[in-house]
Amino acid sequence: MPSKPRIEQYNQPAGGWGALKYVALNLVKEHVADGRGLRTLLSQNQPDGFDCPGCAWPDREHTSTFEFCENGVKAVAAEATKKRVTPEFFAQHTVTELMQQSDFELEEHGRLTHPMVYDAATDKYKKIEWADAFALMAKHLNALPDPDMADFYVSGRASNEAAFLFQLFVRQYGTNNFPDCSNMCHEPTSVGLPGTVGIGKGTVLLEDFDHCDTLLLFGQNPATNHPRMMGELRHASKRGATIVAINPLKERGLERFADPQSKVEMLTMGSTRISSMFIHPTLGGDLALIKGVIKRTIELDDAARAAGAERVIDVKFIEEHTAGFEEFAAQARAESWDDIVAESGVSREDIEKLAQVYVKGKAVIATWGMGLTQHKHAVATIQLLSNMMMLRGNIGRQGAGLCPVRGHSNVQGDRTVGIDEKPTPAFLDRLEQVFGFKAPRHHGNDTVGSVMAMLEGRTKVFIGLGGNFAMATPDTPRTFEAMRSCNLTVHITTKLNRSHLVHGKDALILPTMGRTEIDMQKSGPQGVTVEDSMSMVHVSYGINKPASEHLMSETAIVAHLAEATMKSRNNGPKIDWLWYAEDYSRIRDAIEQVYDAFKGYNERIANPGGFHLGVASRDRVWKTASGKANFIVHDIPKDTPIHRARAIHGEKLLTLMTTRSHDQYNTTIYGMDDRYRGVFGQRRVVFINPADLQMLGLKDGEWVDITSVWDDGVERRAEGFLLVEYEIPRGCIGSYYPETNPLVPLESFADKARTPTSKSIPVLLSRSAVQRSAA
Ligand SMILES: Nc1nc2c(c(=O)[nH]1)N[C@H]1C(S)=C(S)[C@@H](COP(=O)(O)OP(=O)(O)OC[C@H]3O[C@@H](n4cnc5c(=O)[nH]c(N)nc54)[C@H](O)[C@@H]3O)O[C@H]1N2
Ligand SMILES: Nc1nc2c(c(=O)[nH]1)N[C@H]1C(S)=C(S)[C@@H](COP(=O)(O)OP(=O)(O)OC[C@H]3O[C@@H](n4cnc5c(=O)[nH]c(N)nc54)[C@H](O)[C@@H]3O)O[C@H]1N2
Ligand SMILES: [Mo]
């Protein structure tokens, strides 16, 4: 039952009893609090159990103690629910009717049980045999005059095995059209880091958290999104490490945390302080802030050198390992403090404090999340952050390094095994060598490109391996129009979501197993592998009976789709798709043939905890063109869409960030509360600074509509949001995604990475006629 809508300050530490109570409630709600439910939870992240589908944060060496995590429990409970969406359910509801339900209600219906096909005559989904579903997909794919007219979306829960087979099929079919959730998430990390340190992955391992003395947390909310990371932060804090949170919001979990794993903290109602310092940049102000820290570090070093004192920068590291330092330093010296302060929104004193913490640290880890990636200048920001870390040799050293914190549990692995719309020639060469077909060389559609291609009639078939494309992507009404223009839309999925309702002329819902379920194939139960945010690859075995006997595994669905489609096409030798699906170790052998890093794949995953894939930059090997880690000059942007809109509208123009509540997993809404931010029973809220309320002549508790300021003549409006006075920098407001996605223009994306700018949308507020009730 959703709570009564109210706003109430949350003064408890994050974690603690609140989190435990939530877990108990969830188990009851999902009716899994029997022996089976507990066994499911206890098997999470155990050597012989399944990998938690909650997030990509790694585990400590798998031990026998159960690591508690609220996010994981919710994800597992949602998958283990006893509720079912059956053919009878679909017979009772037209698609038009289902469209009226909220995302929360759609999720609540439970697990899908049968493959379903859309019937236009009745506006209902009806049962279809698996074989007929594959034949329908093959018919559509083979009818396209050009393989580039089909897009193949991947959400980051897909296993390495399913993802590798998927990309193999799609490339033999003839396209690189792989929009994926990563395009909306850490793409700027994957695009930015190769330019500076040579590889788009983090350089730290969990053990580095035992050795760091300083942690800089940029733009993340781990108590909600990566609760297992809180354990590491808590330990680091207890060891005396300095933790700084760089975030426009004073997120509760970054202040105090009570570890549900700690008996003492739970019994004494104690908690641990996490951050000793908060820096509150304006939205998108991190680039300028980081520039300030860099400038200050170089100033301090110049002074030290002049005085003959110990240098502040790591001269040896810079000389031996880097290129471009002189020009970089000269530009930083010349940067104006006024610009740094104005564009970061951080005072000179606070920048000084942060710089002092940074230069004192002997082993610094910088972590970051969506607060850095979902901006126009995200790639530049991440490159500068890595440059800041390079100044003091904080990369490739014990207790120091770069730590992008990824979202979906296998989003990193999917990319590693080939879900990439811009594959390297070397990878394609290897694929061709191993499988003997011609791989397409031109780049394919990313997520934004996919929506554009549909709108322009260039994409006619959409196949989604997981996810909720229609809700996760920007510019909702245009995305809906795009999806509806397809000849065929297909979703391989566990639960009902809105993407299934916003469909093409033909449409299929293909129900699949989740990671908690036993994946039985011809050779026996199968394990699948995933790669976490720290490049550890490990195996995952489901333990529950699948939600329905009619489910197929993702890997098997991909194999059957490939078999049905490719039997009438000619591109090199026939691949025996179904043979691969009989025994997934065969797929891992194939992955090993294509990627050297996976040598001994099947043997190495037998090791509890799996194996590390190897990240060259961690070993101070720089896979850049120069062979060195590069310093790259980036100016502070002063002509973003925000600047331009503010030039027209003045201080009334606000920057909107769209973020996650505590009770959601991306587009999946588990509940209506955002406990740590004090929001209960509702989601349509806007966090706003009291001074901005006053400036706008509005009051806490009033209702507003939000309009985007963009220059293409399209009206973008989201109606009916409750104003909530909040500690947030002036000129910035926050609200939840996906409700606010209609406000994000499709054309507003990060330079070079094309990630939608979901954390910096120029908007105006106006008093609303709409006054919503709870939902
Ligand atoms: N429970 C739960 N867990 C999840 C998810 C979920 O939806 N629910 N989603 C998963 C996925 S796919 C991902 S990518 C991750 C996302 O995890 P996060 O990266 O934590 O993403 P958000 O919740 O969007 O929160 C972004 C944080 O950045 C701050 N922020 C916003 N703009 C800026 C800025 O300009 N600068 C700075 N410095 N900070 C800023 C916000 O205040 C907020 O604290 O979590 C994963 N885990
Ligand atoms: N405005 C705004 N937009 C955003 C963001 C933001 O911060 N603001 N964040 C972006 C980010 S970081 C991301 S990662 C994307 C997320 O984009 P997606 O990955 O597309 O979205 P999810 O909500 O994670 O997908 C949920 C659906 O996946 C299906 N599913 C769940 N488990 C499984 C499984 O095991 N197998 C299969 N086949 N299907 C499964 C279920 O049907 C569920 O409804 O959204 C992005 N969009
Ligand atoms: Mo994500």
Side-chain angles (χ1 to χ4, degrees):
M1 265 258 289
S3 348
K4 229 175 99 223
R6 63 185 197 279
I7 306 291
E8 197 171 82
Q9 208 178 337
Y10 182 87
N11 297 316
Q12 309 299 312
W17 291 109
L20 277 189
K21 188 174 126 209
Y22 190 94
V23 172
L25 282 177
N26 225 306
L27 290 180
V28 175
K29 177 181 128 203
E30 298 293 342
H31 315 292
V32 293
D34 50 15
R36 178 182 146 209
L38 278 177
R39 194 168 84 89
T40 309
L41 288 172
L42 294 172
S43 301
Q44 184 168 309
N45 291 339
Q46 295 303 304
D48 54 351
F50 57 89
D51 180 71
C52 175
C55 75
W57 188 256
D59 310 301
R60 286 275 157 183
E61 271 300 292
H62 292 259
T63 56
S64 59
T65 53
F66 159 60
E67 200 182 2
F68 166 84
C69 161
E70 184 182 353
N71 188 14
V73 172
K74 287 181 195 166
V76 167
E79 200 166 288
T81 176
K82 287 185 177 160
K83 296 184 198 152
R84 295 291 178 267
V85 177
T86 58
E88 293 71 42
F89 170 90
F90 284 109
Q92 284 160 15
H93 303 279
T94 63
V95 167
T96 310
E97 262 170 62
L98 290 171
M99 267 307 268
Q100 303 308 313
Q101 301 193 2
S102 69
D103 293 330
F104 175 64
E105 290 166 310
L106 292 178
E107 160 70 18
E108 283 282 289
H109 293 307
R111 291 285 301 275
L112 292 153
T113 60
H114 288 71
M116 305 296 296
V117 64
Y118 181 69
D119 174 37
T122 54
D123 185 34
K124 285 177 179 171
Y125 274 98
K126 60 176 198 211
K127 215 165 92 178
I128 182 173
E129 294 303 319
W130 277 106
D132 297 331
F134 294 124
L136 182 67
M137 290 193 270
K139 187 185 96 184
H140 275 281
L141 287 173
N142 287 322
L144 294 178
D146 179 348
D148 282 334
M149 293 178 75
D151 284 0
F152 299 85
Y153 178 68
V154 179
S155 166
R157 275 200 198 181
S159 64
N160 281 356
E161 289 75 6
F164 179 82
L165 213 61
F166 198 50
Q167 67 78 35
L168 185 63
F169 154 59
V170 171
R171 292 201 161 100
Q172 194 184 30
Y173 169 73
T175 180
N176 286 312
N177 282 345
F178 289 110
D180 88 315
C181 71
S182 181
N183 294 139
M184 297 179 269
C185 184
H186 262 291
E187 186 77 7
T189 302
S190 309
V191 169
L193 291 183
T196 54
V197 298
I199 170 163
K201 295 187 181 182
T203 67
V204 299
L205 288 177
L206 268 189
E207 63 204 43
D208 290 306
F209 279 75
D210 295 334
H211 300 285
C212 63
D213 61 19
T214 306
L215 273 156
L216 308 179
L217 315 177
F218 284 89
Q220 321 175 236
N221 183 21
T224 287
N225 296 321
H226 303 92
R228 283 178 298 117
M229 180 177 177
M230 295 308 297
E232 303 300 331
L233 297 181
R234 177 176 167 272
H235 286 300
S237 170
K238 282 199 175 303
R239 274 195 306 104
T242 304
I243 303 181
V244 185
I246 297 113
N247 197 312
L249 301 185
K250 201 166 191 178
E251 302 284 21
R252 190 59 185 142
L254 297 170
E255 288 184 271
R256 292 207 82 82
F257 180 69
D259 192 347
Q261 248 77 247
S262 157
K263 288 195 188 70
V264 177
E265 280 192 355
M266 296 303 280
L267 287 174
T268 60
M269 303 289 271
S271 63
T272 306
R273 183 176 78 165
I274 300 297
S275 305
S276 49
M277 188 189 292
F278 271 91
I279 302 285
H280 299 298
T282 189
L283 289 166
D286 302 81
L287 189 151
L289 172 67
I290 293 164
K291 201 73 183 270
V293 175
I294 290 171
K295 181 178 169 73
R296 193 62 192 130
T297 304
I298 288 172
E299 281 179 2
L300 290 169
D301 182 67
D302 288 344
R305 192 175 40 185
E310 195 189 332
R311 295 291 293 269
V312 176
I313 60 172
D314 185 338
V315 178
K316 190 159 166 280
F317 176 83
I318 292 174
E319 276 173 3
E320 215 172 294
H321 289 286
T322 73
F325 174 70
E326 287 310 327
E327 192 196 343
F328 179 81
Q331 200 271 346
R333 286 187 193 99
E335 191 67 75
S336 119
W337 275 117
D338 287 347
D339 283 353
I340 290 172
V341 169
E343 297 300 322
S344 66
V346 182
S347 67
R348 187 76 192 270
E349 301 79 78
D350 274 1
I351 298 176
E352 178 66 26
K353 276 198 248 164
L354 179 58
Q356 289 298 339
V357 167
Y358 178 62
V359 300
K360 266 204 206 95
K362 300 233 173 319
V364 183
I365 292 177
T367 77
W368 68 94
M370 297 302 98
L372 289 202
T373 64
Q374 296 176 333
H375 295 286
K376 179 159 168 39
H377 45 277
V379 170
T381 305
I382 289 160
Q383 292 195 328
L384 269 188
L385 178 58
S386 57
N387 282 174
M388 180 187 106
M389 296 291 278
M390 282 157 56
L391 282 181
R392 290 183 40 82
N394 274 314
I395 296 178
R397 178 148 59 70
Q398 193 182 50
L402 304 172
C403 182
V405 182
R406 308 233 177 214
H408 270 303
S409 50
N410 196 37
V411 63
Q412 187 163 318
D414 289 342
R415 261 298 157 80
T416 302
V417 301
I419 301 301
D420 189 347
E421 73 282 3
K422 9 177 219 314
T424 63
F427 162 69
L428 294 175
D429 289 346
R430 193 72 174 263
L431 205 62
E432 289 185 344
Q433 224 177 347
V434 174
F435 292 97
F437 64 82
K438 277 227 89 39
R441 294 277 155 169
H442 54 284
H443 292 176
N445 289 332
D446 56 16
T447 294
V448 163
S450 174
V451 178
M452 288 177 175
M454 289 182 218
L455 285 173
E456 290 162 19
R458 289 182 283 115
T459 287
K460 283 294 175 192
V461 173
F462 174 95
I463 299 181
L465 183 57
N468 187 359
F469 190 84
M471 293 313 283
T473 47
D475 239 351
T476 311
R478 284 168 83 205
T479 295
F480 281 15
E481 183 191 335
M483 297 287 278
R484 287 179 174 136
S485 74
C486 287
N487 294 337
L488 173 71
T489 50
V490 180
H491 298 276
I492 299 162
T493 182
T494 50
K495 286 189 147 181
L496 187 62
N497 68 43
R498 197 163 310 278
S499 294
H500 313 151
L501 310 176
V502 182
H503 55 81
K505 274 186 215 74
D506 281 334
L508 289 165
I509 302 175
L510 303 180
T512 191
M513 297 166 198
R515 210 177 276 162
T516 55
E517 292 169 321
I518 299 166
D519 181 353
M520 188 58 81
Q521 302 295 336
K522 199 165 170 190
S523 67
Q526 304 296 310
V528 294
T529 53
V530 293
E531 176 185 340
D532 65 34
S533 208
M534 295 183 186
S535 307
M536 294 294 300
V537 178
H538 47 264
V539 70
S540 166
Y541 283 96
I543 58 158
N544 286 339
K545 210 171 124 223
S548 140
E549 56 182 347
H550 305 287
L551 303 187
M552 278 176 80
S553 76
E554 292 183 341
T555 310
I557 293 173
V558 170
H560 281 271
L561 166 62
E563 173 68 24
T565 307
M566 296 310 293
K567 67 179 176 220
S568 60
R569 292 180 85 85
N570 271 321
N571 180 8
K574 292 269 176 250
I575 293 172
D576 191 346
W577 302 100
L578 302 184
W579 178 81
Y580 279 112
E582 285 172 4
D583 179 349
Y584 298 175
S585 68
R586 294 169 184 164
I587 305 175
R588 290 187 286 272
D589 284 338
I591 294 176
E592 176 177 341
Q593 283 185 283
V594 176
Y595 298 96
D596 294 333
F598 283 95
K599 213 164 193 44
Y601 200 169
N602 279 308
E603 296 82 69
R604 281 155 88 201
I605 55 168
N607 176 24
F611 65 96
H612 187 237
L613 260 187
V615 173
S617 47
R618 176 177 171 81
D619 304 322
R620 297 194 164 179
V621 172
W622 317 103
K623 299 213 153 162
T624 57
S626 64
K628 301 269 186 189
N630 294 314
F631 284 100
I632 301 180
V633 172
H634 287 291
D635 292 325
I636 296 176
K638 282 185 242 159
D639 185 31
T640 63
I642 302 288
H643 290 93
R644 272 172 269 152
R646 195 155 280 149
I648 302 169
H649 298 279
E651 62 173 359
K652 290 196 161 46
L653 190 284
L654 302 172
T655 308
L656 167 70
M657 69 151 137
T658 62
T659 188
R660 293 154 171 76
S661 79
H662 194 69
D663 279 2
Q664 75 182 87
Y665 193 91
N666 297 334
T667 67
T668 300
I669 311 302
Y670 297 131
M672 302 303 286
D673 299 350
D674 191 9
R675 198 166 73 236
Y676 300 151
R677 298 195 188 112
V679 176
F680 296 91
Q682 57 195 331
R683 290 181 50 84
R684 294 185 83 89
V685 298
V686 171
F687 301 114
I688 184 165
N689 184 298
D692 284 329
L693 278 179
Q694 205 179 11
M695 177 263 301
L696 292 168
L698 293 166
K699 283 203 290 291
D700 179 81
E702 277 192 276
W703 292 78
V704 290
D705 300 337
I706 316 175
T707 320
S708 313
V709 177
W710 202 250
D711 53 10
D712 59 0
V714 178
E715 165 155 273
R716 295 182 178 83
R717 205 178 157 78
E719 296 184 342
F721 287 80
L722 179 74
L723 287 170
V724 176
E725 204 174 277
Y726 210 76
E727 218 180 310
I728 183 170
R730 282 214 63 182
C732 302
I733 58 173
S735 191
Y736 302 126
Y737 121 86
E739 288 83 347
T740 43
N741 253 337
L743 296 166
V744 188
L746 191 57
E747 289 76 12
S748 178
F749 48 66
D751 298 334
K752 299 204 173 90
R754 291 164 54 91
T755 299
T757 57
S758 317
K759 301 273 191 278
S760 47
I761 312 157
V763 298
L764 297 169
L765 299 183
S766 56
R767 211 167 260 120
S768 179
V770 185
Q771 183 121 347
R772 296 199 185 240
S773 55

